[in-house]
């Protein structure tokens, strides 16, 4: 989950008093009259996207997610018998973490930790898609819509391998707005994209960028195939949608590179669409298994194997008793195509 971090920001307030200009002592003046705007509606320059209209259309389907996780820890017994419990003076604990239990030095202490995330509605019945890590370990999940309605939600399905979870709003109407799911495969590098989410608790934040790259590997697991974007993504954006200019979701914002700026990663929506029906129907995902360890082909490997191109995948290892072993696949084989489709 993405812990909520409160960053203290100093609010600058202008205090008018003491030293005054002579005009301040005069009688109040009439407000400045409103002058006509140069344009009846903001102009959209040729070749530039109308992000304001796009955001207005798609924001109703985007939600903010708040989770509460209870963490039990053994009572420390730090306070001496004649020493007051310091938590009595700080009932919400440090950093907004609330402490329960452990009274008089007995039993476990229960810390309630709040975390934030984003998501989007995928049907009028109130099913929400988000990242699995957003709701991982949560005891309470709350979802807030763009119109400020708030609902409790239950987890109806989760796929940790892809980092996808599906929530269902409790006691929600069945006429909710829902997002349109696009095709990430058809998305091109360089296309404009828009991210909407809940960074640092700032709900309905809209940022814009482009698709910087596709097929990125970031060490996130077996399904490591991400869209890279420079649209601003921050803690709290996890699980939120990445839209194309047609207003379709093409990715789910999931991770950032903490050492860079403008380097964010989204799960391709095509991968989500493959597992979504199973998550809605059964709550989990069943996948086919080959039982092989592969690595991509590079120029050195291709030359060593006598190949004239770098396409294909090299089989490093074969699991004993696996379907791959039964089919006769051996370490050192190069897979050139699967089901008639070439392996790049």
């Amino acid at each position: 989950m993405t812990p909520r971090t409160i960053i203290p920001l100093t609010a600058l307030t202008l205090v008018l008093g003491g030293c005054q200009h002579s005009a301040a002592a005069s009688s109040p003046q009439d407000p400045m009259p409103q002058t006509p705007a140069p344009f009846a509606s903001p102009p959209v320059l040729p070749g530039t996207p109308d992000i304001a209209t796009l955001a207005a259309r798609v924001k109703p389907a985007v939600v903010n997610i708040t989770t509460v996780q209870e963490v039990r820890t053994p009572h420390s017994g730090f306070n001496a018998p004649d020493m007051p419990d310091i938590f009595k003076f700080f009932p919400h604990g440090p950093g907004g973490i609330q402490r329960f239990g452990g009274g008089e030095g007995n039993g476990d202490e229960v810390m309630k930790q709040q975390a934030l995330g984003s998501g989007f509605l995928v049907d009028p019945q109130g099913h929400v898609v988000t990242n699995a890590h957003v709701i991982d370990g949560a005891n309470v999940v709350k979802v807030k819509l763009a119109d400020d309605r708030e609902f409790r939600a239950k987890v109806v399905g989760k796929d940790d391998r892809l980092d996808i979870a599906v929530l269902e709003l409790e006691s929600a109407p069945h006429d909710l707005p829902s997002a349109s799911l696009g095709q990430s495969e058809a998305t091109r590098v360089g296309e404009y994209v828009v991210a909407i989410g809940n960074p640092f608790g700032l709900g309905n934040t809209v940022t814009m960028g482009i698709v910087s790259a596709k097929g990125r590997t970031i060490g996130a697991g077996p399904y490591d195939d991400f869209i890279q974007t420079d649209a601003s993504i921050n803690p709290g954006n996890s699980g939120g949608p990445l839209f194309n200019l047609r207003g379709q979701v093409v990715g789910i914002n999931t991770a950032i590179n903490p050492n860079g700026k403008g380097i964010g990663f989204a799960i391709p929506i095509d991968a989500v669409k493959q597992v979504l029906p199973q998550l809605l129907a059964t709550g989990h995902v069943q996948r086919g298994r080959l039982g092989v360890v592969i690595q991509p082909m590079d120029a050195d490997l291709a030359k060593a194997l006598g190949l004239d191109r770098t396409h294909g995948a090299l089989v490093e290892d074969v699991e004993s008793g696996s379907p791959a072993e039964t089919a006769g696949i051996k370490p050192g084989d190069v897979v050139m195509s699967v089901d008639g489709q070439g392996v790049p």
Side-chain angles (χ1 to χ4, degrees):
M1 292 189 297
T2 306
R4 181 177 183 178
T5 305
I6 304 300
I7 301 178
L9 298 177
T10 303
L12 301 178
T13 303
L14 297 178
V15 180
L16 302 180
C19 180
Q20 295 183 345
H21 294 288
S22 58
S26 62
S27 60
Q29 301 294 316
D30 292 334
M32 288 288 293
Q34 184 171 347
T35 58
F39 301 98
S41 60
V44 178
L45 301 178
T48 62
D50 185 0
I51 301 302
T53 298
L54 171 66
R57 292 282 185 89
V58 301
K59 274 204 301 185
V62 183
V63 303
N64 302 333
I65 298 174
T66 303
T67 67
V68 177
Q69 181 180 11
E70 294 183 356
V71 181
R72 293 184 176 273
T73 58
H75 185 66
S76 62
F78 172 77
N79 294 319
D82 298 330
M83 200 173 192
D85 188 345
I86 60 172
F87 277 98
K88 292 179 181 178
F89 302 99
F90 302 97
H92 294 289
I97 300 176
Q98 194 169 358
R99 174 198 184 213
F100 299 89
E104 304 299 328
N106 298 320
D108 291 342
E109 295 175 351
V110 179
M111 302 291 185
K112 288 194 174 183
Q113 185 172 0
Q114 181 175 288
L116 303 173
S118 307
F120 55 95
L121 290 154
V122 292
D123 60 31
Q125 287 71 44
H127 289 108
V128 173
V129 169
T130 186
N131 282 138
H133 74 260
V134 169
I135 50 86
D136 190 32
N139 300 99
V140 177
V141 180
K142 294 181 180 180
V143 173
K144 190 174 184 179
L145 307 186
D147 59 9
D148 289 335
R149 284 182 292 173
E150 191 171 60
F151 301 91
R152 283 214 176 197
K154 62 181 180 180
V155 180
V156 298
K158 188 172 70 162
D159 181 21
D160 289 317
R161 289 187 174 186
L162 193 58
D163 196 10
I164 293 297
V166 177
L167 313 177
E168 183 178 359
L169 305 188
E170 297 180 353
S171 303
H174 287 183
D175 59 351
L176 296 172
S178 58
S180 171
L181 306 185
Q183 292 182 321
S184 51
E185 182 64 28
T187 303
R188 298 179 301 165
V189 173
E191 280 191 31
Y192 285 114
V193 285
V194 173
I196 303 181
N198 187 31
F200 299 108
L202 303 172
N204 301 315
T205 295
V206 180
T207 59
M208 185 186 78
I210 63 169
V211 174
S212 304
K214 295 173 64 178
R216 286 298 195 207
T217 299
I218 62 175
Y223 299 97
D224 209 358
D225 177 22
F226 288 85
I227 297 171
Q228 180 183 332
T229 179
D230 65 352
S232 182
I233 297 174
N234 291 283
N237 273 114
S238 285
L242 187 70
F243 291 100
N244 62 17
L245 292 188
R246 298 180 63 190
Q248 298 173 309
V249 180
V250 295
I252 298 180
N253 303 317
T254 299
I256 57 174
N257 185 328
N259 299 318
K261 184 177 180 181
I263 303 177
F265 302 96
I267 300 170
I269 199 64
D270 289 352
V272 179
K273 290 192 296 184
Q274 290 178 356
V275 303
L276 187 56
Q278 289 191 66
L279 291 175
L280 288 169
T282 67
H284 60 274
V285 177
Q286 290 184 330
R287 294 182 171 90
R289 182 178 65 90
L290 285 177
V292 295
V293 177
I294 61 173
Q295 74 175 76
M297 187 68 61
D298 58 25
D300 291 337
L301 281 174
K303 183 178 180 180
L305 294 169
L307 300 175
D308 58 356
R309 56 179 184 168
T310 59
H311 293 184
L314 175 65
V315 177
E316 286 187 353
D317 193 17
V318 178
E319 181 183 338
S320 177
S322 66
E325 184 182 57
T326 302
I329 297 177
K330 297 179 174 57
D333 287 347
V334 178
V335 180
M336 303 300 296
S337 65
V338 177
D339 196 21
Q341 303 233 356
V343 177

